[in-house]
Amino acid sequence: MNLRDLLKPGPLPPAIQSRRRDTLLTIGACVLTAVGLWLLQAHTSGYVVHMACVGALFATLAVSYNLINGVTGQFSLEPNAFVACGAYVTALLTLSPAEKEASFILEPLIWPLSAFSIPLLPALVIAGLLTALMAFFMGFPVFRVRGDYLAIVTLGFGEVIRVVANNAQSVTNGPLGLKGIPHLTNLWWSWGLLAVCLFCIVRLVHSSYGRALKAIREDETAAEAMGINAFWHKMLAFTLSAFFEGVAGGLLAHLITTISPSLFTFFLTFNLLIIIVVGGLGSTTGAVLAAFLFTFGGEWLRVVEEPTRLLGWDIPGIPGMRMVIFSLILVGVMIFLRRGILGRHDFTWRWIIAVLGRGRTRS
Amino acid sequence: MTAPPMLEVNGLTVRYGGITAIRSVDIKVRRGEIVTLVGANGAGKSTLLGAISGLIKPAAGSIVYQGKEVAGVQAHRLSRQGLILVPEGRRIFINLSVRENLILGGYFRSRDAEFGRDLERVLATFPRLAERAGQPAGTLSGGERQMLALGRGLMGRPKLMMLDEPSLGLAPLLVAEVFKVIRRIHKQGVTVLLVEQNAAAALGIADRAYVLETGRVVLSGPGRELAADGRVQRAYLGME
């Protein structure tokens, strides 16, 4: 749609009208969410707020991971590396020199890092950019291979970062980790990041670049024959997802206030992989939905581990029962919704309006 | 009358690991021609097109396209210069809509008015695609998929269009339809390099043709002449 069409007198063409409607609806939804968060902050316990923060950060991670795994179709297994990188960089930048000196007892922290600290926002930006830079250099060897080999190479990188974090004691404090990270992450930081991440990634996916990314997922050779430079498109998706994973890692560090290499094992990647597969590979809204189900589901299922009285029987609580039920749910999803909850589809305003409209005509 | 050819391949050799797929192949395509490559399975036809289009790296030899050496140049650069491959087995993007497939065909072009006109022209050429523009391409039938692959190729504004087995797996009526479309594309000023197993139809529309056997050119000449050649008749046209 070019400028001349917009300037024409008379009613706007339908495409622009519906786009304007979608923008207004999106802004409205953001305002509603903000009000909801404000109510949550004011009227619920710190525990619920904490879980809402975790949910938003995992949604951010899942949406970014889905960009490279689901949209571009490059099966990679390295997000734990990016989250670790973001978490360590941000923590090292915000910790006060006194805290650092107290933490690094085996080997002192190397010089420039030991002498200063900066506020959270610039620290997050630096962490995001450094993580993206790491992804950029990682991309050259990684995208020489495809398919299973890509998964293995990226898995290797994920492990390398963890080993480095364990052994580079003068920077990461080794297995002792970093403690006393200021608790700066709140609802606004985590949900704000999710909003920015969604805005960027949804815009990208619906642009002409996004179409090219999907073409690469469908058939890389055909995409190349069409004039799409597959390598640089993959790099774009990879570095952008690394940026958001790094920033989310930084906020995660400032939410749980203690980080150590054992937090960033392959299990983190594995959990994110479950989230995006359950949500539907390639579906951004599916990733968000599944991330919140995953975060809150685990908490709700705690009920089954408490002793209860059912039909006159006293049932003792069985520890670990919720993981059994959780696994059964996952198996169920994979049997009945083989492509995840949303498949490759996304919630769109048009779809929601159509569903609501159908309900109204029926009643 | 000796205008420089649009495409000139000299001594082209392609190896997959230790196996030589094509050996020292020379072919030439002049502007405005339809040139056909015929040959049995495994003769190296698709390999030759893959090497010309930049998807496969040749081991030796030269490929001159519009006066420039392009051997080893990557595929996504060549398609920008109007050297467009419509790959074997269509290779359409089945989870994207028909319209998205067509738009991707002109990915590197700017989205100007001309782009919109080309899209409309392709949809007018293939009314079936216009009816199904919003549907996922995976819901199309085999013939429609081939039309989509051709339309997608046209969106890249080809100067030389290379078609790899466009009639593969289609019913005879649809094969005739595909060849009609190829003629129409050619009439619009596009040079065509056609690879076909359906030798009778392919030789029928070709200005010139090459016969490939186990990676070498064994015969070449005008399409009609080859169609009348006893060896070609026995090997590819099923005549005694």
Side-chain angles (χ1 to χ4, degrees):
Chain A
M1 203 54 64
N2 56 34
L3 196 61
R4 209 171 325 136
D5 293 330
L6 278 172
L7 294 176
K8 254 186 238 156
L12 287 170
I16 293 185
Q17 260 177 4
S18 74
R19 207 175 303 162
R20 181 183 278 182
R21 179 201 67 197
D22 288 355
T23 312
L24 286 176
L25 282 170
T26 306
I27 293 170
C30 287
V31 171
L32 271 181
T33 311
V35 171
L37 290 176
W38 183 77
L39 289 173
L40 205 64
Q41 180 89 55
H43 296 289
T44 58
S45 63
Y47 167 71
V48 175
V49 170
H50 178 86
M51 289 317 293
C53 289
V54 173
L57 290 179
F58 265 80
T60 308
L61 290 174
V63 167
S64 332
Y65 189 32
N66 181 53
L67 178 67
I68 187 75
N69 258 31
V71 177
T72 319
Q74 304 300 311
F75 189 69
S76 60
L77 296 170
E78 79 304 309
N80 59 323
F82 294 154
V83 176
C85 177
Y88 272 101
V89 170
T90 325
L92 284 171
L93 288 175
T94 57
L95 275 171
S96 67
E99 282 280 359
K100 286 175 192 167
E101 213 184 321
S103 279
F104 285 73
I105 37 175
L106 291 178
E107 261 183 61
L109 181 59
I110 49 165
W111 170 63
L113 283 171
S114 60
F116 71 94
S117 69
I118 59 173
L120 184 58
L121 184 63
L124 286 175
V125 173
I126 292 172
L129 291 177
L130 272 179
T131 313
L133 193 71
M134 183 170 94
F136 180 78
F137 287 118
M138 213 171 120
F140 286 96
V142 159
F143 289 125
R144 291 181 69 88
V145 290
R146 301 180 189 178
D148 303 348
Y149 302 100
L150 178 70
I152 293 166
V153 173
T154 48
L155 176 69
F157 269 102
E159 281 301 289
V160 165
I161 295 297
R162 195 178 57 82
V163 172
V164 167
N166 250 327
N167 291 291
Q169 294 211 354
S170 55
V171 181
T172 64
N173 206 18
L176 293 177
L178 300 175
K179 292 180 190 67
I181 304 167
H183 187 276
L184 296 173
T185 304
N186 55 23
L187 282 174
W188 309 117
W189 277 109
S190 51
W191 285 75
L193 175 65
L194 176 59
V196 172
C197 171
L198 276 175
F199 178 78
C200 294
I201 288 183
V202 168
R203 287 291 292 263
L204 175 72
V205 169
H206 288 119
S207 71
S208 139
Y209 284 106
R211 205 179 287 126
L213 296 179
K214 288 182 218 159
I216 292 169
R217 170 186 74 199
E218 300 282 311
D219 190 328
E220 190 172 332
T221 308
E224 283 267 353
M226 226 107 288
I228 295 167
N229 189 336
F231 176 75
W232 284 111
H233 279 80
K234 287 189 227 172
M235 285 290 257
L236 170 76
F238 197 54
T239 44
L240 185 67
S241 90
F243 176 84
F244 283 115
E245 282 164 10
V247 176
L251 283 179
L252 203 60
H254 287 78
L255 184 69
I256 51 185
T257 68
T258 305
I259 55 172
S260 65
S262 61
L263 259 177
F264 307 107
T265 57
F266 177 63
F267 261 100
L268 178 61
T269 299
F270 191 63
N271 284 339
L272 288 173
L273 193 60
I274 290 176
I275 291 175
I276 61 172
V277 169
V278 166
L281 271 179
S283 167
T284 304
T285 42
V288 175
L289 188 68
F292 280 106
L293 283 179
F294 188 84
T295 317
F296 283 96
E299 299 303 311
W300 290 330
L301 283 176
R302 277 186 200 281
V303 175
V304 301
E305 290 183 8
E306 284 159 11
T308 45
R309 211 179 149 76
L310 196 68
L311 299 172
W313 289 81
D314 279 319
I315 301 166
I318 305 165
M321 192 62 191
R322 67 190 175 116
M323 290 325 282
V324 174
I325 294 185
F326 184 71
S327 315
L328 288 176
I329 294 174
L330 279 186
V331 172
V333 167
M334 285 299 105
I335 291 174
F336 296 109
L337 301 162
R338 209 164 296 169
R339 302 190 122 198
I341 299 172
L342 288 186
R344 271 191 184 135
H345 304 287
D346 264 311
F347 282 125
T348 55
W349 289 118
R350 199 207 289 185
W351 180 83
I352 292 168
I353 289 167
V355 168
L356 291 177
R358 218 182 297 149
R360 203 179 304 147
T361 49
R362 210 180 287 147
S363 58
Chain B
M1 107 132 241
T2 49
M6 183 158 225
L7 178 78
E8 189 165 15
V9 175
N10 274 317
L12 194 71
T13 300
V14 178
R15 292 197 189 94
Y16 295 117
I19 300 154
T20 305
I22 56 175
R23 196 187 304 267
S24 192
V25 166
D26 305 326
I27 67 164
K28 207 181 282 183
V29 181
R30 296 193 195 91
R31 197 175 301 274
E33 274 186 324
I34 297 186
V35 174
T36 294
L37 298 172
V38 291
N41 272 336
K45 308 181 300 276
S46 295
T47 303
L48 180 54
L49 287 201
I52 295 171
S53 65
L55 291 170
I56 303 168
K57 241 191 175 142
S62 86
I63 303 167
V64 178
Y65 170 66
Q66 292 190 319
K68 265 180 281 170
E69 175 63 50
V70 296
V73 175
Q74 286 165 304
H76 63 88
R77 288 180 198 283
L78 286 177
S79 59
R80 281 156 206 246
Q81 295 170 32
L83 182 65
I84 303 248
L85 172 72
V86 177
E88 186 179 5
R90 352 281 192 228
R91 315 275 300 248
I92 56 169
F93 307 118
I94 54 171
N95 286 306
L96 302 184
S97 74
V98 169
R99 184 187 301 278
E100 284 180 304
N101 267 275
L102 291 175
I103 291 174
L104 277 164
Y107 179 70
F108 50 84
R109 294 173 54 191
S110 57
R111 301 286 185 277
D112 49 13
E114 205 180 338
F115 187 89
R117 271 201 297 279
D118 277 3
L119 187 59
E120 263 158 40
R121 193 183 308 147
V122 168
L123 289 173
T125 315
F126 306 107
R128 301 284 285 178
L129 298 185
E131 283 166 31
R132 287 161 168 66
Q135 272 174 234
T139 62
L140 298 182
S141 71
E144 289 163 352
R145 285 179 192 212
Q146 186 58 55
M147 297 304 167
L148 178 58
L150 288 169
R152 191 176 64 175
L154 284 176
M155 284 304 293
R157 292 236 142 180
K159 294 191 179 95
L160 172 60
M161 202 171 186
M162 299 189 286
L163 308 172
D164 197 351
E165 304 271 8
S167 76
L168 191 73
L170 296 183
L173 215 60
L174 288 170
V175 172
E177 181 71 28
V178 165
F179 276 95
K180 220 189 278 171
V181 170
I182 294 171
R183 265 212 194 96
R184 201 174 332 152
I185 291 171
H186 176 241
K187 271 209 193 98
Q188 287 168 8
V190 179
T191 309
V192 174
L193 177 57
L194 175 66
V195 159
E196 261 295 337
Q197 290 209 3
N198 187 339
L203 291 174
I205 66 166
D207 294 309
R208 287 182 313 109
Y210 294 89
V211 178
L212 242 64
E213 234 167 63
T214 55
R216 290 166 203 270
V217 173
V218 291
L219 270 177
S220 67
R224 298 249 157 70
E225 224 168 80
L226 281 192
D229 188 291
R231 286 166 294 177
V232 175
Q233 286 187 342
R234 269 190 301 281
Y236 303 107
L237 301 177
M239 291 185 231
E240 285 303 316

